[in-house]
Amino acid sequence: MIFTPEHRAKLEQYLAGHELSEGLGNKENACSLAAINLAISGMLSDDIPHCMSEVLGHATIQLQDALPATMRNSDRFKKLLPDMAGTGRERDDERLAILMDWMWGTVLPELQPIADAHGFGSEWRKMCDERTTEAARAARATATAAAARADYAAAAAASAASAARAAFAAAAAAAAIPAAAEGFWPSVDPIGVLERMTYLGETK
Protein backbone atom coordinates (compact mmCIF):
# COMPACT_ATOMS: atom_id res chain seq x y z
CA MET A 1 0.00 0.00 0.00
CA ILE A 2 1.25 3.48 -0.89
CA PHE A 3 0.33 6.65 0.95
CA THR A 4 -0.62 8.82 -2.02
CA PRO A 5 -0.72 12.61 -2.39
CA GLU A 6 -4.52 12.29 -2.37
CA HIS A 7 -4.40 10.47 0.96
CA ARG A 8 -2.08 13.14 2.33
CA ALA A 9 -4.39 15.95 1.23
CA LYS A 10 -7.38 14.25 2.88
CA LEU A 11 -5.45 13.74 6.10
CA GLU A 12 -4.23 17.33 6.20
CA GLN A 13 -7.77 18.58 5.59
CA TYR A 14 -9.12 16.36 8.36
CA LEU A 15 -6.45 17.45 10.84
CA ALA A 16 -7.10 21.12 10.09
CA GLY A 17 -10.75 20.81 11.03
CA HIS A 18 -10.89 18.21 13.79
CA GLU A 19 -9.50 17.53 17.24
CA LEU A 20 -7.63 14.27 17.79
CA SER A 21 -9.07 12.11 20.54
CA GLU A 22 -7.71 9.85 23.22
CA GLY A 23 -8.69 6.29 22.31
CA LEU A 24 -10.21 5.38 18.96
CA GLY A 25 -12.77 8.18 19.02
CA ASN A 26 -15.26 8.64 16.20
CA LYS A 27 -15.26 10.10 12.70
CA GLU A 28 -15.58 13.62 14.06
CA ASN A 29 -12.85 13.26 16.66
CA ALA A 30 -10.63 10.31 15.74
CA CYS A 31 -7.32 9.24 17.21
CA SER A 32 -4.09 9.69 15.24
CA LEU A 33 -4.14 6.28 13.57
CA ALA A 34 -7.87 6.47 12.91
CA ALA A 35 -7.39 9.85 11.22
CA ILE A 36 -4.80 8.28 8.91
CA ASN A 37 -7.11 5.36 8.13
CA LEU A 38 -10.03 7.68 7.45
CA ALA A 39 -7.88 9.47 4.88
CA ILE A 40 -6.79 6.21 3.25
CA SER A 41 -9.93 4.08 3.31
CA GLY A 42 -12.70 6.06 5.00
CA MET A 43 -12.80 3.42 7.76
CA LEU A 44 -12.61 4.27 11.45
CA SER A 45 -9.83 1.96 12.65
CA ASP A 46 -6.67 2.20 14.71
CA ASP A 47 -4.93 -0.57 12.76
CA ILE A 48 -1.49 0.44 11.55
CA PRO A 49 -1.74 0.81 7.74
CA HIS A 50 0.83 -1.11 5.71
CA CYS A 51 2.25 2.11 4.30
CA MET A 52 3.34 3.15 7.81
CA SER A 53 6.23 1.98 9.96
CA GLU A 54 4.92 -0.62 12.39
CA VAL A 55 7.27 0.56 15.14
CA LEU A 56 6.20 4.16 14.62
CA GLY A 57 2.55 3.12 14.58
CA HIS A 58 2.78 1.28 17.91
CA ALA A 59 4.66 4.15 19.51
CA THR A 60 2.06 6.62 18.25
CA ILE A 61 -0.84 4.56 19.60
CA GLN A 62 0.70 4.45 23.07
CA LEU A 63 1.95 8.00 23.20
CA GLN A 64 -1.05 9.81 21.74
CA ASP A 65 -3.31 8.35 24.42
CA ALA A 66 -0.95 9.44 27.19
CA LEU A 67 -0.18 12.94 25.89
CA PRO A 68 -2.00 15.99 27.20
CA ALA A 69 -4.73 16.99 24.75
CA THR A 70 -2.96 20.27 24.00
CA MET A 71 0.19 18.42 22.89
CA ARG A 72 -1.78 15.81 20.92
CA ASN A 73 -3.55 18.61 19.05
CA SER A 74 -0.57 20.90 18.64
CA ASP A 75 0.41 22.16 15.20
CA ARG A 76 3.73 20.36 15.61
CA PHE A 77 2.12 16.94 16.07
CA LYS A 78 -0.54 17.45 13.41
CA LYS A 79 2.08 18.51 10.86
CA LEU A 80 4.08 15.38 11.64
CA LEU A 81 1.27 12.84 11.13
CA PRO A 82 1.13 12.99 7.30
CA ASP A 83 4.88 12.35 7.13
CA MET A 84 4.55 9.44 9.57
CA ALA A 85 1.83 7.81 7.49
CA GLY A 86 4.03 6.99 4.49
CA THR A 87 7.19 5.86 6.28
CA GLY A 88 7.02 2.18 5.28
CA ARG A 89 8.64 -0.67 7.24
CA GLU A 90 12.02 -1.16 5.62
CA ARG A 91 13.92 0.75 8.35
CA ASP A 92 11.99 -0.31 11.43
CA ASP A 93 15.14 -1.61 13.16
CA GLU A 94 16.54 1.93 13.09
CA ARG A 95 13.30 3.36 14.38
CA LEU A 96 13.14 0.87 17.23
CA ALA A 97 16.72 1.74 18.21
CA ILE A 98 15.76 5.43 18.43
CA LEU A 99 12.71 4.57 20.52
CA MET A 100 14.67 2.37 22.92
CA ASP A 101 17.42 4.95 23.30
CA TRP A 102 14.79 7.56 24.17
CA MET A 103 13.29 5.27 26.79
CA TRP A 104 16.61 4.39 28.46
CA GLY A 105 18.28 7.77 28.07
CA THR A 106 15.38 10.21 28.54
CA VAL A 107 12.10 8.76 29.84
CA LEU A 108 13.29 6.50 32.64
CA PRO A 109 16.02 8.85 33.97
CA GLU A 110 13.35 11.56 34.26
CA LEU A 111 11.74 9.38 36.94
CA GLN A 112 14.91 9.16 39.04
CA PRO A 113 13.62 11.62 41.69
CA ILE A 114 10.56 9.41 42.22
CA ALA A 115 12.77 6.35 42.57
CA ASP A 116 15.04 8.19 45.01
CA ALA A 117 12.11 9.38 47.09
CA HIS A 118 10.64 5.89 47.44
CA GLY A 119 13.75 3.92 48.19
CA PHE A 120 14.71 2.29 44.91
CA GLY A 121 16.93 5.01 43.48
CA SER A 122 20.11 2.94 43.21
CA GLU A 123 18.37 0.10 41.40
CA TRP A 124 16.67 2.57 39.06
CA ARG A 125 19.94 4.34 38.27
CA LYS A 126 21.66 1.01 37.63
CA MET A 127 18.88 -0.01 35.25
CA CYS A 128 19.19 3.22 33.28
CA ASP A 129 22.98 2.91 33.12
CA GLU A 130 23.18 -0.78 32.24
CA ARG A 131 20.10 -1.01 30.00
CA THR A 132 19.75 -4.76 30.56
CA THR A 133 16.86 -7.10 31.29
CA GLU A 134 18.49 -8.16 34.55
CA ALA A 135 18.81 -4.60 35.80
CA ALA A 136 15.21 -3.88 34.80
CA ARG A 137 14.01 -6.92 36.75
CA ALA A 138 15.89 -5.78 39.86
CA ALA A 139 14.47 -2.27 39.58
CA ARG A 140 10.99 -3.62 39.04
CA ALA A 141 11.16 -5.88 42.10
CA THR A 142 12.33 -3.07 44.36
CA ALA A 143 9.90 -0.54 42.87
CA THR A 144 6.98 -2.96 43.24
CA ALA A 145 7.79 -3.45 46.91
CA ALA A 146 7.94 0.32 47.37
CA ALA A 147 4.65 0.77 45.52
CA ALA A 148 2.93 -1.51 48.01
CA ARG A 149 3.53 1.08 50.71
CA ALA A 150 3.76 4.29 48.67
CA ASP A 151 1.66 6.31 46.26
CA TYR A 152 0.62 6.32 42.59
CA ALA A 153 3.92 7.68 41.35
CA ALA A 154 5.87 4.76 42.78
CA ALA A 155 3.41 2.31 41.25
CA ALA A 156 3.76 4.07 37.92
CA ALA A 157 7.54 3.83 38.14
CA ALA A 158 7.22 0.11 38.81
CA SER A 159 5.14 -0.19 35.66
CA ALA A 160 7.81 1.63 33.70
CA ALA A 161 10.48 -0.76 34.95
CA SER A 162 8.35 -3.70 33.89
CA ALA A 163 7.78 -2.12 30.48
CA ALA A 164 11.52 -1.73 30.00
CA ARG A 165 11.64 -5.28 28.65
CA ALA A 166 8.89 -4.79 26.06
CA ALA A 167 9.43 -4.28 22.34
CA PHE A 168 7.88 -0.82 22.35
CA ALA A 169 8.98 0.02 25.85
CA ALA A 170 9.48 3.74 25.55
CA ALA A 171 5.87 4.34 24.64
CA ALA A 172 4.63 1.95 27.31
CA ALA A 173 6.84 3.52 29.96
CA ALA A 174 5.72 7.03 29.06
CA ALA A 175 2.07 5.99 29.08
CA ALA A 176 2.47 4.52 32.56
CA ILE A 177 3.46 7.79 34.21
CA PRO A 178 1.11 10.60 33.19
CA ALA A 179 1.09 12.05 36.69
CA ALA A 180 4.72 11.43 37.59
CA ALA A 181 5.78 15.05 37.74
CA GLU A 182 4.77 18.49 36.57
CA GLY A 183 6.60 19.31 33.37
CA PHE A 184 7.27 15.66 32.54
CA TRP A 185 6.03 15.73 28.95
CA PRO A 186 7.92 18.86 27.86
CA SER A 187 11.05 17.42 29.45
CA VAL A 188 10.96 14.11 27.59
CA ASP A 189 9.67 15.65 24.31
CA PRO A 190 7.65 12.70 22.90
CA ILE A 191 6.92 14.51 19.64
CA GLY A 192 10.64 14.93 19.20
CA VAL A 193 11.28 11.19 19.35
CA LEU A 194 8.48 10.60 16.84
CA GLU A 195 10.11 13.17 14.56
CA ARG A 196 13.47 11.42 14.81
CA MET A 197 11.84 8.07 14.11
CA THR A 198 10.01 9.52 11.11
CA TYR A 199 12.85 11.37 9.40
CA LEU A 200 15.83 9.17 10.45
CA GLY A 201 18.32 11.99 10.29
CA GLU A 202 16.99 13.58 7.12
CA THR A 203 16.50 17.33 7.14
CA LYS A 204 12.83 18.32 7.10
Side-chain angles (χ1 to χ4, degrees):
M1 178 191 297
I2 297 174
F3 188 68
T4 68
E6 181 183 3
H7 295 151
R8 184 183 185 94
K10 287 181 178 180
L11 178 56
E12 289 175 343
Q13 182 179 17
Y14 181 90
L15 293 172
H18 298 79
E19 293 283 294
L20 294 171
S21 75
E22 179 182 346
L24 178 63
N26 53 51
K27 288 191 175 183
E28 289 303 312
N29 297 101
C31 71
S32 303
L33 269 291
I36 293 171
N37 283 311
L38 284 171
I40 294 172
S41 66
M43 300 295 292
L44 183 71
S45 168
D46 60 0
D47 291 342
I48 302 168
H50 292 293
C51 58
M52 183 177 186
S53 158
E54 189 172 16
V55 172
L56 194 54
H58 281 291
T60 303
I61 289 169
Q62 294 292 333
L63 284 172
Q64 80 105 52
D65 282 354
L67 291 177
T70 52
M71 188 174 285
R72 184 171 58 247
N73 285 286
S74 65
D75 288 342
R76 183 184 178 193
F77 185 61
K78 285 187 171 184
K79 287 178 180 178
L80 178 60
L81 276 178
D83 289 335
M84 294 168 64
T87 44
R89 302 185 177 185
E90 295 81 8
R91 301 177 69 181
D92 268 1
D93 287 347
E94 295 174 65
R95 292 187 166 96
L96 182 57
I98 292 169
L99 183 63
M100 294 299 289
D101 185 67
W102 178 70
M103 179 197 73
W104 287 116
T106 301
V107 174
L108 297 181
E110 186 71 16
L111 298 176
Q112 187 65 50
I114 295 172
D116 291 339
H118 292 289
F120 52 96
S122 60
E123 291 86 357
W124 196 265
R125 189 173 292 103
K126 181 178 180 181
M127 176 186 71
C128 293
D129 290 342
E130 295 186 1
R131 303 186 178 195
T132 64
T133 299
E134 292 75 16
R137 284 177 178 155
R140 180 193 180 193
T142 311
T144 301
R149 60 181 185 276
D151 58 13
Y152 172 81
S159 298
S162 176
R165 304 192 308 275
F168 302 102
I177 47 173
E182 185 178 355
F184 171 79
W185 289 111
S187 295
V188 300
D189 189 19
I191 299 175
V193 75
L194 294 175
E195 289 170 340
R196 295 193 297 278
M197 292 168 70
T198 298
Y199 302 128
L200 295 175
E202 298 176 9
T203 302
K204 180 64 179 178

Short mmCIF file of all heavy atoms in Angstrom, two decimals, residues 85-112:
data_model
loop_
_atom_site.label_atom_id
_atom_site.label_comp_id
_atom_site.label_asym_id
_atom_site.label_seq_id
_atom_site.Cartn_x
_atom_site.Cartn_y
_atom_site.Cartn_z
N ALA A 85 2.73 8.78 8.13
CA ALA A 85 1.83 7.81 7.49
C ALA A 85 2.49 7.04 6.35
O ALA A 85 2.16 5.87 6.11
CB ALA A 85 0.58 8.52 6.98
N GLY A 86 3.43 7.65 5.64
CA GLY A 86 4.03 6.99 4.49
C GLY A 86 5.44 6.49 4.71
O GLY A 86 6.20 6.32 3.75
N THR A 87 5.81 6.22 5.97
CA THR A 87 7.19 5.86 6.28
C THR A 87 7.61 4.47 5.82
O THR A 87 8.78 4.20 5.60
CB THR A 87 7.44 5.97 7.80
OG1 THR A 87 6.33 5.40 8.49
CG2 THR A 87 7.58 7.42 8.22
N GLY A 88 6.66 3.54 5.66
CA GLY A 88 7.02 2.18 5.28
C GLY A 88 7.71 1.44 6.42
O GLY A 88 7.91 1.99 7.52
N ARG A 89 8.12 0.19 6.17
CA ARG A 89 8.64 -0.67 7.24
C ARG A 89 10.06 -1.16 7.01
O ARG A 89 10.56 -1.98 7.77
CB ARG A 89 7.68 -1.85 7.45
CG ARG A 89 6.27 -1.37 7.76
CD ARG A 89 5.30 -2.46 8.09
NE ARG A 89 4.01 -1.87 8.45
CZ ARG A 89 2.96 -2.57 8.88
NH1 ARG A 89 3.05 -3.88 9.00
NH2 ARG A 89 1.83 -1.95 9.19
N GLU A 90 10.71 -0.65 5.98
CA GLU A 90 12.02 -1.16 5.62
C GLU A 90 13.09 -0.80 6.65
O GLU A 90 14.10 -1.49 6.77
CB GLU A 90 12.46 -0.62 4.25
CG GLU A 90 11.61 -1.09 3.09
CD GLU A 90 10.31 -0.28 2.95
OE1 GLU A 90 10.15 0.73 3.67
OE2 GLU A 90 9.46 -0.68 2.12
N ARG A 91 12.90 0.27 7.41
CA ARG A 91 13.92 0.75 8.35
C ARG A 91 13.42 0.72 9.80
O ARG A 91 13.82 1.52 10.63
CB ARG A 91 14.38 2.16 7.95
CG ARG A 91 14.95 2.21 6.55
CD ARG A 91 15.33 3.61 6.12
NE ARG A 91 16.48 4.12 6.86
CZ ARG A 91 17.01 5.34 6.69
NH1 ARG A 91 16.48 6.16 5.78
NH2 ARG A 91 18.05 5.73 7.41
N ASP A 92 12.56 -0.25 10.09
CA ASP A 92 11.99 -0.31 11.43
C ASP A 92 13.02 -0.65 12.51
O ASP A 92 12.85 -0.27 13.67
CB ASP A 92 10.83 -1.31 11.48
CG ASP A 92 9.49 -0.63 11.22
OD1 ASP A 92 9.48 0.59 10.97
OD2 ASP A 92 8.45 -1.32 11.25
N ASP A 93 14.09 -1.35 12.17
CA ASP A 93 15.14 -1.61 13.16
C ASP A 93 15.76 -0.31 13.64
O ASP A 93 16.02 -0.13 14.83
CB ASP A 93 16.22 -2.52 12.58
CG ASP A 93 15.76 -3.96 12.43
OD1 ASP A 93 14.70 -4.30 13.00
OD2 ASP A 93 16.45 -4.74 11.76
N GLU A 94 15.98 0.62 12.72
CA GLU A 94 16.54 1.93 13.09
C GLU A 94 15.56 2.70 13.96
O GLU A 94 15.96 3.36 14.93
CB GLU A 94 16.86 2.73 11.84
CG GLU A 94 17.96 2.15 10.96
CD GLU A 94 18.12 2.93 9.67
OE1 GLU A 94 18.50 4.13 9.74
OE2 GLU A 94 17.85 2.36 8.59
N ARG A 95 14.31 2.62 13.61
CA ARG A 95 13.30 3.36 14.38
C ARG A 95 13.17 2.79 15.79
O ARG A 95 13.02 3.54 16.76
CB ARG A 95 11.96 3.33 13.64
CG ARG A 95 12.00 4.13 12.35
CD ARG A 95 10.64 4.25 11.69
NE ARG A 95 10.69 5.27 10.66
CZ ARG A 95 10.91 5.04 9.36
NH1 ARG A 95 11.07 3.78 8.93
NH2 ARG A 95 10.97 6.03 8.50
N LEU A 96 13.23 1.49 15.91
CA LEU A 96 13.14 0.87 17.23
C LEU A 96 14.35 1.26 18.08
O LEU A 96 14.22 1.51 19.28
CB LEU A 96 13.05 -0.65 17.11
CG LEU A 96 12.91 -1.41 18.44
CD1 LEU A 96 11.70 -0.93 19.23
CD2 LEU A 96 12.83 -2.91 18.18
N ALA A 97 15.52 1.34 17.47
CA ALA A 97 16.72 1.74 18.21
C ALA A 97 16.57 3.16 18.76
O ALA A 97 16.96 3.44 19.90
CB ALA A 97 17.94 1.64 17.31
N ILE A 98 15.99 4.06 17.97
CA ILE A 98 15.76 5.43 18.43
C ILE A 98 14.78 5.44 19.59
O ILE A 98 14.98 6.14 20.60
CB ILE A 98 15.23 6.30 17.27
CG1 ILE A 98 16.32 6.49 16.20
CG2 ILE A 98 14.72 7.65 17.78
CD1 ILE A 98 15.82 7.10 14.91
N LEU A 99 13.73 4.65 19.47
CA LEU A 99 12.71 4.57 20.52
C LEU A 99 13.30 4.04 21.82
O LEU A 99 13.07 4.59 22.90
CB LEU A 99 11.57 3.68 20.04
CG LEU A 99 10.36 3.50 20.95
CD1 LEU A 99 9.65 4.82 21.16
CD2 LEU A 99 9.41 2.46 20.36
N MET A 100 14.08 2.96 21.72
CA MET A 100 14.67 2.37 22.92
C MET A 100 15.68 3.31 23.57
O MET A 100 15.75 3.42 24.80
CB MET A 100 15.34 1.05 22.55
CG MET A 100 14.37 -0.04 22.09
SD MET A 100 13.15 -0.51 23.34
CE MET A 100 14.20 -1.39 24.50
N ASP A 101 16.46 4.01 22.75
CA ASP A 101 17.42 4.95 23.30
C ASP A 101 16.71 6.08 24.04
O ASP A 101 17.16 6.53 25.10
CB ASP A 101 18.29 5.51 22.17
CG ASP A 101 19.39 6.41 22.70
OD1 ASP A 101 20.29 5.89 23.39
OD2 ASP A 101 19.36 7.62 22.44
N TRP A 102 15.58 6.53 23.50
CA TRP A 102 14.79 7.56 24.17
C TRP A 102 14.27 7.06 25.51
O TRP A 102 14.30 7.77 26.51
CB TRP A 102 13.64 7.98 23.26
CG TRP A 102 12.71 9.00 23.82
CD1 TRP A 102 12.96 10.31 24.07
CD2 TRP A 102 11.33 8.79 24.17
NE1 TRP A 102 11.84 10.95 24.56
CE2 TRP A 102 10.82 10.03 24.63
CE3 TRP A 102 10.48 7.68 24.14
CZ2 TRP A 102 9.50 10.18 25.06
CZ3 TRP A 102 9.16 7.83 24.55
CH2 TRP A 102 8.68 9.07 25.01
N MET A 103 13.80 5.82 25.54
CA MET A 103 13.29 5.27 26.79
C MET A 103 14.40 5.21 27.85
O MET A 103 14.25 5.73 28.95
CB MET A 103 12.72 3.87 26.59
CG MET A 103 12.21 3.27 27.90
SD MET A 103 11.96 1.48 27.82
CE MET A 103 13.66 0.91 27.82
N TRP A 104 15.53 4.59 27.49
CA TRP A 104 16.61 4.39 28.46
C TRP A 104 17.28 5.70 28.83
O TRP A 104 17.65 5.92 29.99
CB TRP A 104 17.66 3.44 27.88
CG TRP A 104 17.26 2.01 27.80
CD1 TRP A 104 17.11 1.27 26.66
CD2 TRP A 104 16.97 1.12 28.89
NE1 TRP A 104 16.73 -0.01 26.98
CE2 TRP A 104 16.64 -0.13 28.33
CE3 TRP A 104 16.96 1.27 30.27
CZ2 TRP A 104 16.31 -1.24 29.10
CZ3 TRP A 104 16.63 0.16 31.05
CH2 TRP A 104 16.31 -1.07 30.46
N GLY A 105 17.48 6.58 27.84
CA GLY A 105 18.28 7.77 28.07
C GLY A 105 17.51 9.00 28.49
O GLY A 105 18.10 9.94 29.03
N THR A 106 16.18 9.01 28.26
CA THR A 106 15.38 10.21 28.54
C THR A 106 14.21 9.93 29.47
O THR A 106 14.08 10.56 30.53
CB THR A 106 14.86 10.83 27.23
OG1 THR A 106 15.97 11.16 26.39
CG2 THR A 106 14.05 12.09 27.50
N VAL A 107 13.34 8.98 29.08
CA VAL A 107 12.10 8.76 29.84
C VAL A 107 12.38 8.23 31.24
O VAL A 107 11.93 8.81 32.23
CB VAL A 107 11.17 7.79 29.08
CG1 VAL A 107 9.95 7.47 29.93
CG2 VAL A 107 10.75 8.41 27.76
N LEU A 108 13.09 7.12 31.33
CA LEU A 108 13.29 6.50 32.64
C LEU A 108 14.18 7.34 33.56
O LEU A 108 13.88 7.44 34.76
CB LEU A 108 13.83 5.08 32.46
CG LEU A 108 12.86 4.13 31.72
CD1 LEU A 108 13.46 2.73 31.61
CD2 LEU A 108 11.50 4.07 32.41
N PRO A 109 15.26 7.97 33.07
CA PRO A 109 16.02 8.85 33.97
C PRO A 109 15.20 10.02 34.51
O PRO A 109 15.47 10.50 35.62
CB PRO A 109 17.16 9.35 33.07
CG PRO A 109 17.38 8.24 32.10
CD PRO A 109 15.98 7.75 31.80
N GLU A 110 14.19 10.46 33.78
CA GLU A 110 13.35 11.56 34.26
C GLU A 110 12.61 11.17 35.53
O GLU A 110 12.21 12.03 36.33
CB GLU A 110 12.35 11.94 33.16
CG GLU A 110 11.51 13.15 33.46
CD GLU A 110 12.29 14.47 33.43
OE1 GLU A 110 13.41 14.49 32.87
OE2 GLU A 110 11.77 15.46 33.96
N LEU A 111 12.44 9.86 35.76
CA LEU A 111 11.74 9.38 36.94
C LEU A 111 12.67 9.13 38.12
O LEU A 111 12.22 8.64 39.17
CB LEU A 111 11.00 8.07 36.61
CG LEU A 111 9.92 8.20 35.53
CD1 LEU A 111 9.34 6.85 35.21
CD2 LEU A 111 8.83 9.15 35.98
N GLN A 112 13.95 9.44 37.97
CA GLN A 112 14.91 9.16 39.04
C GLN A 112 14.52 9.81 40.37
O GLN A 112 14.63 9.16 41.42
CB GLN A 112 16.31 9.63 38.62
CG GLN A 112 17.41 9.23 39.59
CD GLN A 112 17.59 7.73 39.68
OE1 GLN A 112 17.72 7.06 38.66
NE2 GLN A 112 17.59 7.20 40.90
#
